Amino acid sequence: MVDHIKPHRLKDALDSGDVEAIRRAQALFWDTANWMPMAKRCHDKKTAAEDGGFGNRKRTTG
């Protein structure tokens, strides 16, 4: 599975309707330098920690 090292937050950007935020999120989504291979189990655990899944708090990134 491909993981994004720095979360792109594309859904949040799309929900906001902010054209510039959408552009930045899409650029980060497709930036191959921001990709790393990861096992699905590890990806799901990392994503849940970042996105607040499984009762975790949503992390903020800079």
Side-chain angles (χ1 to χ4, degrees):
M1 169 155 251
V2 174
D3 181 63
H4 292 89
I5 299 164
K6 181 177 179 184
H8 50 78
R9 305 280 187 236
L10 183 54
K11 183 180 182 321
D12 293 340
L14 290 168
D15 289 346
S16 76
D18 180 340
V19 175
E20 186 57 28
I22 294 168
R23 186 199 64 74
R24 286 190 309 267
Q26 286 176 331
L28 192 56
F29 183 90
W30 292 110
D31 180 4
T32 58
N34 189 42
W35 294 355
M36 72 175 166
M38 187 177 279
K40 181 174 179 357
R41 181 177 176 204
C42 297
H43 177 270
D44 291 351
K45 186 175 179 180
K46 177 180 179 266
T47 300
E50 291 172 350
D51 294 348
F54 305 123
N56 296 305
R57 285 191 192 146
K58 188 172 185 176
R59 290 186 193 169
T60 57
T61 58

